[in-house]
Structure formats: C-alpha cells, structure tokens
Amino acid sequence: KSDEKSESIFAPKKKPSPGPYVALAELQEQQGNIASAEVQLKKALSIDSNHLGALLAYAHLEDRQRNFQAAERYYQRALKKHGKNASVHNDMGLCYHRHNKLFEANKSLSKAVELDPDSKLYRANLAAVLVDQGKNSEALEQLVQAHGQPVGHYNLGYLLMQKKDTASALQHFQEAARLDPTFNEARQWVA
C-alpha cells in the first residue's frame, strides 16, 4: 500500500499548460536570450499548436527580431483559430504598420475596431495609420469616437506633429483649445 501511495503522489495530475512556457519565453527574451525564448515557445506550441498566447508571443518575438515574414506567419496562424479576437487583428496591424504596409495595417486595425468598437487603443492605432495614409479626416473620426472632440483634435495634432506637418497640427491644437478653453496642453502647443 505504501508503494501505491508514493506512486500516486508523483504521478502527474494533468497535462502541462502552454502558459508557463509562454511566460518563461517572455522572460528569456527580456534577458536577451532569444534562442531560449524560441525553445520555450516551441514547447508551448507542441502542447497546443493553436494557443493564442504562444502564437502571439512568437509573432511578437519574430517582429522584434525584424523577421517580418515569420511574424506574419504566426499572426496568420493566430487569425485562423482566433479570428474573432480583436487583439490579434490589432497586433498584426501594428506589425504591418512598422513594416510600412499601410493598406494591410488599415485593414487589420479596422477589423480590430469593428470587433471591439469601445477600444480607445485600437482606434488610436488605426488613426496613426490613417494619418500615414494622408486620411486625416478619417483619423479624426476615429479619435473623436474614442476620446471626444477636444481630445480627438489634440491627438490628431500630436500625430501630425510627428509627421512634421506643423501647420495642420496647429489647426487641430487650436480647435482643441477652442472646444475646451481649459485644455492646457492644447493651449501650450498653440502658444
């Protein structure tokens, strides 16, 4: 009987989850050990080849290593099984944006907004792409939907400043200050 007890103590109770491997991979990447991070992600995917966290972590890792094609493959795999998850579309859109694939970025981020219309983050990410596409009025629509008129104009002004379009940015900072005279940040940009 004592042998039976000791066997049951050491017997695995359930199959391991991919989660700890994903967490360990992220830690390894932060420490600069990319090869070890990849090993951990491969272990996670060997347990569950459709695990959302593992697929996204691998896509992020590849993207940060500037391996765009590999990152895109992992995003596509994630989309096949988790296509209704807005974060997958958002992250893929950001990847496309970083690689200057603006049409694809717009499409992915638009889908993220469609799936989660209340996400201010997804709308802001889409607005940044729209500004890069020269679609400032559409970007403003997204920002106003997320933040209201004054902050929407302010945020568009900020995005335009990043593009070195000072004249257009100033118009939006002025409009933000006009709509909300207590908006100090907008007034500072105007000054």
Side-chain angles (χ1 to χ4, degrees):
K1 283 191 173 183
S2 65
D3 287 339
E4 288 176 30
K5 246 185 192 178
S6 64
E7 283 181 12
S8 67
I9 291 172
F10 297 107
K13 294 184 176 154
K14 63 180 180 176
K15 201 169 134 181
S17 158
Y21 295 106
V22 173
L24 187 54
E26 290 170 351
L27 180 62
Q28 292 294 324
E29 183 186 4
Q30 288 171 3
Q31 295 173 348
N33 193 342
I34 304 305
S36 181
E38 287 185 54
V39 167
Q40 298 306 319
L41 290 171
K42 286 177 183 174
K43 285 180 185 178
L45 290 172
S46 73
I47 295 168
D48 179 356
S49 63
N50 296 318
H51 187 266
L52 179 60
L55 291 169
L56 289 181
Y58 221 141
H60 297 159
L61 176 74
E62 294 291 1
D63 189 22
R64 284 189 287 271
Q65 298 303 309
R66 301 187 196 283
N67 298 327
F68 173 69
Q69 290 176 337
E72 189 176 19
R73 281 193 304 272
Y74 283 104
Y75 283 123
Q76 291 294 344
R77 281 179 59 185
L79 282 174
K80 282 182 185 172
K81 292 295 180 179
H82 307 280
K84 297 209 187 280
N85 186 307
S87 69
V88 178
H89 293 278
N90 177 71
D91 292 1
M92 186 166 196
L94 292 174
C95 180
Y96 281 136
H97 192 200
R98 278 189 292 279
H99 295 278
N100 207 31
K101 292 185 144 203
L102 298 180
F103 175 81
E104 294 86 348
N106 182 322
K107 186 176 174 184
S108 290
L109 291 165
S110 293
K111 185 66 176 179
V113 168
E114 177 188 320
L115 291 169
D116 187 357
D118 295 330
S119 173
K120 294 177 181 184
L121 174 65
Y122 300 162
R123 287 186 183 276
N125 290 339
L126 176 56
V129 170
L130 290 165
V131 167
D132 283 350
Q133 290 181 306
K135 299 176 179 181
N136 295 349
S137 61
E138 291 178 44
L140 180 61
E141 287 176 32
Q142 293 299 321
L143 294 168
V144 166
Q145 186 74 23
H147 304 286
Q149 286 282 336
V151 175
H153 279 281
Y154 177 83
N155 287 348
L156 180 56
Y158 183 81
L159 289 171
L160 291 166
M161 284 297 292
Q162 290 181 320
K163 301 263 319 154
K164 310 274 190 257
D165 186 351
T166 311
S168 297
L170 180 59
Q171 290 174 351
H172 289 283
F173 290 137
Q174 289 170 332
E175 184 62 10
R178 185 190 71 74
L179 290 167
D180 181 358
T182 65
F183 199 160
N184 290 330
E185 292 88 348
R187 288 179 34 228
Q188 287 173 352
W189 277 102
V190 171

